[in-house]
Amino acid sequence: MTAVPLTKLLLRTLAATGQGAVYFFTMLHDLKHHRSLYLQGGHANVVEEKRLRHEYYAKLALARLRRSNYVTARKIGRRLIVELTDKGRQALLTHTMRSSPKRNDGSMTVVVFDVPESERFSRQQLRLLLKQGGFTKLQQSVWVSPVDCYANVVEFVRTVKISRWVNVFRGRDFLQRPKV
C-alpha cells in the first residue's frame, strides 16, 4: 500500500466535506421553503416543481406578450418559434435607449431631421422613439440626449428607411447647453 501525501488526503477530505455541506444546506433550504414537496420525494421533487413553475410563468409571460402584440409565436414540429413584431422591436429599442449609460465625456447624441409629409408615419415613429427614448426637444426637429444611444437611433433610422432625411451625431459644443 502506497502512502498518500498529507496534502492530497486533506484535499480529498475537504472536497468530501464541502459536498456534504452543500447537500446539507440544500436539504435545509428545501425543508424550510418546500417542506411537503421535499418530504414526498426529496430534492428531485423540489427541482421538478421549480422547473414546472418556471415553465408555467414563462407561458404566462409569452401569452401576455402575444396579447399585447409584442411577439408572434408559432410551432414548427416540436419547436416553438417566437419573433418580435414591429411593436416589440420598437419597445425593445426604447428600453435599450433608456437603459443606456450617460456619456461621460460631456457630449450628447443629437438627431436632426426633416422628413417630408409623404413619410408622415415614419416621422411620427421617429418622434415617438425619441420621446420614449428620453430625448429632449432642443428646437423643431432637433432632439438631444446625454445618453450614449447613437447606434440605436442609427439602426432605427436605417430600418425605417428614412436615413436621407435624418442626421444623427454626437455633439459637445452648444451655444446654449440643452437642459436634459
Side-chain angles (χ1 to χ4, degrees):
M1 184 181 212
T2 60
V4 177
L6 184 59
T7 307
K8 286 188 179 181
L9 183 64
L10 284 172
L11 286 175
R12 286 183 189 160
T13 305
L14 283 173
T17 305
Q19 289 171 348
V22 168
Y23 175 76
F24 178 72
F25 285 111
T26 301
M27 180 187 70
L28 284 178
H29 179 270
D30 288 349
L31 278 171
K32 181 178 180 184
H33 298 286
H34 312 282
R35 179 180 304 262
S36 62
L37 282 172
Y38 188 81
L39 294 175
Q40 289 172 7
H43 181 67
N45 203 21
V46 173
V47 169
E48 178 63 12
E49 174 64 24
K50 286 181 181 179
R51 185 192 68 76
L52 290 172
R53 187 175 295 144
H54 178 73
E55 186 177 303
Y56 170 76
Y57 286 121
K59 285 181 181 179
L60 278 179
L62 179 61
R64 245 183 268 120
L65 290 170
R66 287 176 75 180
R67 268 195 313 275
S68 301
N69 294 323
Y70 287 114
V71 297
T72 59
R74 65 188 198 292
K75 274 195 152 192
I76 298 179
R78 299 178 78 192
R79 297 179 68 197
L80 180 66
I81 308 299
V82 179
E83 295 175 326
L84 284 173
T85 61
D86 288 340
K87 182 179 176 182
R89 277 189 215 86
Q90 180 92 4
L92 177 63
L93 187 57
T94 301
H95 174 73
T96 304
M97 288 170 57
R98 283 195 162 279
S99 61
S100 294
K102 281 191 173 186
R103 298 191 55 83
N104 55 7
D105 62 357
S107 66
M108 298 184 142
T109 304
V110 182
V111 180
V112 179
F113 60 94
D114 189 14
V115 182
E117 185 63 25
S118 62
E119 301 294 326
R120 176 187 291 190
F121 181 72
S122 298
R123 185 178 62 233
Q124 289 171 338
Q125 280 186 303
L126 176 62
R127 281 197 181 119
L128 181 63
L129 174 77
L130 296 174
K131 283 179 190 175
Q132 291 178 345
F135 275 73
T136 302
K137 188 175 179 180
L138 186 61
Q139 62 187 57
Q140 193 63 36
S141 299
V142 179
W143 295 70
V144 295
S145 173
V147 174
D148 188 14
C149 56
Y150 172 86
N152 301 109
V153 177
V154 168
E155 175 190 339
F156 175 81
V157 166
R158 287 185 179 145
T159 302
V160 180
K161 297 181 176 123
I162 55 174
S163 56
R164 65 181 131 166
W165 303 295
V166 180
N167 196 354
V168 183
F169 57 94
R170 293 182 183 101
R172 183 181 321 203
D173 299 325
F174 294 90
L175 180 61
Q176 295 177 3
R177 187 86 181 147
K179 294 179 179 135
V180 288

